Amino acid sequence: MSLADMASAFLLLGGSAFILLATAGIWRFDDVYSRIHAATKATTLGVLLVIAAALLRVETMADSLKLCLAAILQLISAPVTGHMLGRAAYWAGTELTPFTVIDQLRSADIEH
Amino acid sequence: MNFVIPAMIVLPVVAAGFSIAIWRRVRIQQVLGVAVLGGSVAGSLALIFAAAQAGPLVVHIGGWRAPVGITLVADLFSSLLLSISLITVLAVFLFAIGQPRYDKSAYYFHPLYLLLTAGVTASFLTGDLFNLYVAFEVMLSASYVLLTLGGRRDQVRSGMSYVIINLAASTLLVTTIALIYAATGSVNMAHVAVRLQDLAPGIRDLFGVMLFITFGIKAAIFPLFFWLPDSYPTAPVTVTAVFAGLLTKVGVYSIIRTQTLLFPGDQVTTAVVLFAAGATMIAGVLGAIAQDDMKRILSFHIVSQIGYMLFGLGLYTVGGVAAGIFYMIHHIPVKTTLFLVSGLIETMTGTAALRSLGGLIRRAPVSAIAFLVAGLSLAGTPPLSGFFGKLLLVQAGFASGAWTVTAVSLGVGLLTLFSMTKIWAGIFWGEAQEEPPFESARGTGPLRAPGLMNAATIGLAGVTVAIGILAQPIWRLCEHAARELLDPRAAYIAAVLGQ
Amino acid sequence: PCHTSRSQGTCRPASVVEPPAVIVLLACHLAAALLLPWLARRLGKGVFWCGALAPAATVVWGAWHGRSILAGNPVVEVLSWAPEIGFDLRVLVDGFALVMIALVSGIGVLIFAYSYWYFREGPEIGRFAALLVAFSGAMLGVVVADNLIALFLFWELTSITSYLLIGFEDRSPVARAAALRALLITTAGGLAMLAGFVLLGEGAGTYTLSELIAAAPRSFAAELALLLVRFGAFAKSAQVPVHFRLPGAMAAPTPVSAYLHSATMVKAGIYVVARLAPAFADVGFWRPLVIGVGLATMLIGGWRALAQRDLKLLLAHGTVSQLGTLMVLFGAGVPAATLAGAAWILAHGAFKAALFLVTGIVDHQAGTRDLAKLNGLYRQLRACFIVAALSAASMAGLPPLAGFVAKEAAFGAFAGAPWGAWEWLLPLLIAAGSVLTFAYSARFLWGAFAPKDPRDLDTAAAVSEAAAPARGFLAPAALLAVFSVAMGLAPALWSDLVVAAARSLDARAPAEPLALWHGFTPALALSLAAIAGGLVLWRFRRRVAIFQRLHRFPVDGARLHDRAVNEFMHLADVLTGFLQTGSLPMYLVVILSIAIVGPGIVLAKLIHAHPEVLLVDRPMQLAVALLMIVAAILTTRATRRMAAVVSSYLVGYGIAFMFIIQGAPDLALTQLLVESMALVLFVLILRHLPALFRTHGAATWKTTRVLLSVAVGVFMATAAMVAVAARTHAPVSQAYLEQSVPEGHGHNVVNVILVDFRAFDTFGEILVLTVAVLGVIGLIRSAQRDRGRANRPKTSRRHYRPSPILNGAVRILFHTLLLVSIVLLAVGHDHPGGGFIGGLVAGSAFTLVFLAGGTPRARRAEPASPELYLGSGIMLAGLTGAAGWLGGDEFLKALFFSTELPVFGTVEISSVLFFDLGVYLVVVGLVTALLRSAGREETVVS
Amino acid sequence: MRRRAAAFGWLLFVWIALTGSLSVLNVALGVAISIGLLLFFRPAPPATTGRFHPWYAARFLFYFTVKFLKANVEVALAVIQPERVRRKRAIIAVPMVGATETTTTLLADAVSLTPGTFILEMRRDPATMYVHILALNDLREARLEILELERRILLGFGPPGSVERCEELMTQVATEPQK
Amino acid sequence: MILSLVVVVGVLFGAGTYLVLHRTLTRVALGMGLWTYAVNLLLIVAGGHAGLPPLVNGGVPISAYADPLPQAMILTAIVITFAMTAFLLALAYRSWTHTGNDEAEDDIEDRRIAAMARERPAEVPQAEEEL
Amino acid sequence: MEIVTTICYAALALSGLLCVLRLVRGPSLADRVLAVDTLLIAGVAGVAVESARTGSGVYLDVLLVVALVAFIGTTAVARFIERRGAQ
Ligand code: NA
Ligand code: NA
């Protein structure tokens, strides 16, 4: 097993672990906003790690570029996804957990 | 013929593509459509002569020989149906061009119509099961859209039933094809036919029954026909006319093609077919008698007459199958003519409800004559085409000793006549029972329809007369076609697989 | 064996007359029928004279050839139509046909002449004349046809034309009902007859009537056939129990009654029986049936005539009675009776037509034909009276008139028949019929012309004055009356004709000429007895009428018929109402049940075939399978539309992953992209629709649904296992894998299949896409169109607020995605990708723009109209296919070009790339069209 | 124009990399396609562009990567022990410069990917973002942290003067009285 | 023959049927979608075992590849179904603009006839004179 | 390597299970979509793991497309939620 393979294996395990963690968050957190936190951060990291692992293993330039494109896409899309979902949920009136201490958007909206 | 056969599918498609690209220029679309359809008619007639002389004509699309590529096969059976269908299609297209009110919602009418034609043509010509599914989908999707193009409430309602039931049937079709592929590893019909012979008879029966039911839904046989009378009458009349003539017949075509080619002489299906034929005749005609609207009456008759076509197949003799083919050839233009008459009447009066009309024999004699000819032909009055269809079936039925179904077919003929008189008496005789919805239906003066509409209708009515007059040569062709169908190894399979 | 004169004709087919004159005459009738409506616009009533030309020509032809025909040389003509079906226009004019021609065309001419006077000018004259001449031609055809199918053809045409003539006064419900009754009954009979003809024809191997009669086949099928044929004949000739149809037909104008319902059409049934009887009277129960029915008809008709007030009805019942008599005479198959029948049929034609015509004149001049209103018109209508008196006397069988001569012949006809008591009973019964005939003849004459006792008179409406008719109006009737007299006084005038007619039917018929005076024979005694009986009955006419009124026959045929029709229509309603529920789910339940029960029965026998079963061949299959199952069940259980959509979307992704596991990257790509497009579309549509599914239907309905679903699932899974286990050969796809690189010039076999091996499927598929898109645009446009008119439902219209974050992301991704899509298109032949996938990726780019900025932004991003994409895509694909022809090869043959260019080096290009480009364009058009139409109302407020 | 050129370069690179061929023909094709795409398809009106400072951009990237990793650890801990974040959810308004679309997007991405924050909504006049925070300890600190992120982005990608405006905002937030 | 796939085929057909037997077009469209998945999976099953993606290179025996023909057919089926789904949705939308919902209503004329069937047919009037 | 990828697959499968549980539970549409989105990301990871296992680039297009599709799908539904309210 080469060093690259070792690194790759390590990255794979780490990535998978983060994804598992993220989904655990999705299952465990108490409101949709908190779940978005889990989904947009941990999964992105997880995927990036796994993609990095794959980058170490693929051979052609085209394949590497495809992996990079996928990573970029993930980096761009994950936060946008979270933002869009959170915003939609908020304006649709999805309840915040009662543990929310401040809601400055609500007050701004009322002023508006 | 390597050119003619695919061209009959491709040229309408390319014309449709052009029409879509220039979708606002209706006149160009019309001219193009007439040219292409006229060419197709000529091509299909050429096919009949060629196929009668040389046996089934085969085109290997893309140069890939069967079973690798998709083959188009024009044998006498498909050529005959194709010709009469295209003649009908052309007549309806002319009728549509002649319509006075030009509706903006009909921007896409012409390309859709051409695509429908292409789908029908491809369904008749393809020699590949999966491609048959695709061709069906082209035809059906065009029909869905044409049916609902106006977007009226009743069109949407009936469109839902029509689309959903046909989609269900398509799903069954592709499922059956998948199963056949699983068992035989091929989808070329001739190849499948050869390979099916190596399977256990039981599994052949399974596929045979599944295909029969699947196409039976499309052909609107008993008890799978309910969707048809609910949906057809709501479409714009040109659409209904062409549906009435063509679509279910493609279903019947597929039943005959698959049963004779893939499952030759299977006892199970033959018995089922005969039963279905009788039940379809009766259910359809009873439904027609219960109706009060010309288009609905005619729609139920479509169902009833599908029974006649199946009857021919169910006999499974050369005479029977040939009679069934003859009946199909007769039915396509006649049923279309009747719907065109209803279209003329609707164009002139705004309604086709028997209760709202009366006395049109004085006000619209051309429609009356066209209706009389086509209606009598439908009921089987000599010497019109329908009579020969019926006579041939009765001859074949008695020859096979199928007494019951033959008797049923005669009785249903009487009931058909009865229901034609209902239309006749309701629309052309007497006076309206109810206040008609439109002013034009109320007066007493002559009603006029645009000349092209009248000409198309009368022309198509003339076709039934012509079929009656040419009964002998057409019968010869039908018999020849039936012989080929009943001996697929010698004709179809040999031509496709080249043995 | 050609021993009859009739079959001599058929034994000499070479004697075909050139030109086929009778066929030309038939064609003349047809041509006249087609021309008269147009001529009527110019000529008005004059068309009747034109119409008369066709039958007149026939009469002339008959007179010309009469001598030769009577001498036993029938005219045979054949126009070959469909000999392989057994159908030729084969004409045979022998003696009997000549008799019938005399009736059909001879009386036809008179009817046309009469009609000229009878009708007022009007727009419908042309139609009437046309129908009349058409009928005349059809009837001529019936009597000259020597081919069963041709006979049936003309037979049916007479039914149809009579339907149209009876219903000519179509505004009258009575006329319409009578027309329908007549049509249904005669056509029902006609169809029975057709069945009989086919059975006879197929059994005997010939459809030529004369050959069939000569062969006289004996078999069960033949017996059945003859029974069916007789049904047809009885129906046509108004025999019991359908005799009621004839009085009903009196709703027609009088010329029709005179022509169709006395002289000609009603005799068609008699004609057929007359043709067949000599050959088949010995078969089975031919005689009991025919004679029994004939006698019953004769007596019932005559009896009912005695109670009629309407002169036409009186005559109609009389005709029924006479038809019964004719049926007995011809149907008995006794040579002498056949001769008598031939005489009777001619005599009847003359007197009955005349009486009808007179009735029409009386009706026309007095304004009524109710005998209780007509009072003493013999003075004003003296000429009419004379004509009527002569004709009625002939009908009553008074000497020295034609009717008497015929009746004498009939009374003597059965002498020597070997049937025991029937030998003398039959003449007696016929005499009883004559008693009735005498009585109603008297009633007619009295009713039309006599001054009446107030007891018999409807005083309030009595008509005692009427203007004398024009001479021309009466002339046809008068001519007929002259015939009646002449034929009575000089039987030799028509004796040859009658004898030849009888002998053409039955060679055994006596060559004995007709005579007015036979000497004192039993026949004379019967005649006298009949007259005496008639006088007695006439004496008690009031009592008879009252008796009939009080003791009506409990069954009224017409009413029974109408009730039967109504009940039948109700049955149709009930069955249709039961089958045709109009409910889509119900239809689907039926269809799906049939679809699995039928094959299920077959499948049940096949389950023993076990394939080698593995749970999985890749472990991940199990995980994905479970995911799909859960998601599928979630989809069914969702109560909210969008929740259901999201669940099914997961199933779609599941299957995409399954494709990956199975080794199908192209499929996975397509599935994923399509799935996301579908989701976007769902979102665009569902934003309008209610959030919740409405629940309705009973619990049983839900159970049905679940049971059927389970059944479908089990059936399909089982069928799959059985089908896979049945595989005997290697799949054809081996060839694809082998030929893809060397022949198809591509490494991605799936793509090579799509654009080359089976490009025709792909070609169809883009058509489906295009069509569906046009449908979507059309439907949504139609909704927009009537937005102003209809009060369409409102949804919450919260506008979309643009997100700068999303905008930024899209700006970064857009062009890259488009480029990737082009790459996918370009490399698809060797790598995963191709036109579909490329097009869908490009579509995704547009979708992103749309999601970020709504329709305006999307339009900006992509300037061409969807129609242009769709149309040019289709054209490109089609024309690329057509390029195969240019290479002198098949449609869709892939062409490869490889050239050396100065700077670029080797350039290799394949036509399949252009095909794929067409696909790509269609897909792009699809996506943009969907976004534009379904996303139309997505407005942006910033 | 600079932006266009960059886009063109990127597209050409992607083309060549994906098709994996450096032949004259392929490059020419790539050039043509890239130019065609950029000319024919314009999804949005041209936006104002900033100035690119590679050094600061790289620094931002490093800064962000560290934060990103930290964020994930924090979320991981929160998943394991949800009580850690339970009583501290908040939606706070943070003023921002929002100089160009690029910087805004980068900021949004960065905020969303860094510790326990994501952008719920963004408003103009005055440019404000509303950030959902998983565990709010101190409002002012949280705001300053996000503004610091923006400042670093503006240093790398922002137009001239934007950094100064960001710093103004930071002082404003720092001096604002705590509620 | 892979049992897990066959089971999924069955479940998808069943679930699809359950949805299709509703009046709501949204459900029907989803049911049709499930049916198509089922058919596609069935085609995969018909193609035999999983294999290498059919991107042929020399050196690998042909039997190692997955059967490409079902894949091509599935592709066609996917696209056709998508087209039909789009059309169904447009129909649902159009129905909503008419009725405020996307449910398939019963046919009016059929119901009228069913109602007529529940009545007795009209009595035939006694003929005036003995017609 | 095989062991590592097997562990990865197991972890991803478990993730999938958790997502499905969230999908079933809801309660809001946003939750469900989030679950599906995450499931897809897990799918992306799965494809990447497969590529790392085999070193083959066959499925990399799929990888790219799954990510793209997840993005589009989630955004689209988000727009729906925004318009139609919490479900
Ligand atoms: Na159909
Ligand atoms: Na009416």
Side-chain angles (χ1 to χ4, degrees), chain B residues 2 6 21 57 87 100 139-141 157 176 190 203 218 241 264 298 303 313 324 333 358 432 442 451 460 477:
Chain B
N2 285 6
L57 310 163
I87 289 170
M139 172 183 91
L140 289 173
S141 60
R157 184 191 61 228
T176 313
I203 195 147
K218 314 244 179 203
L298 294 176
V303 174
L313 174 66
R442 268 175 232 152
L460 205 53
L477 292 170

Side-chain angles (χ1 to χ4, degrees), chain B residues 354 357 426 431:
Chain B
L354 306 189
L357 291 168
E431 274 140 15

Side-chain angles (χ1 to χ4, degrees), chain C residues 721-742:
Chain C
M721 285 200 271
V722 169
V724 169
R727 173 72 74 84
T728 47
H729 297 272
V732 289
S733 33
Q734 303 275 312
Y736 298 129
L737 291 165
E738 282 159 7
Q739 296 176 20
S740 183
V741 176

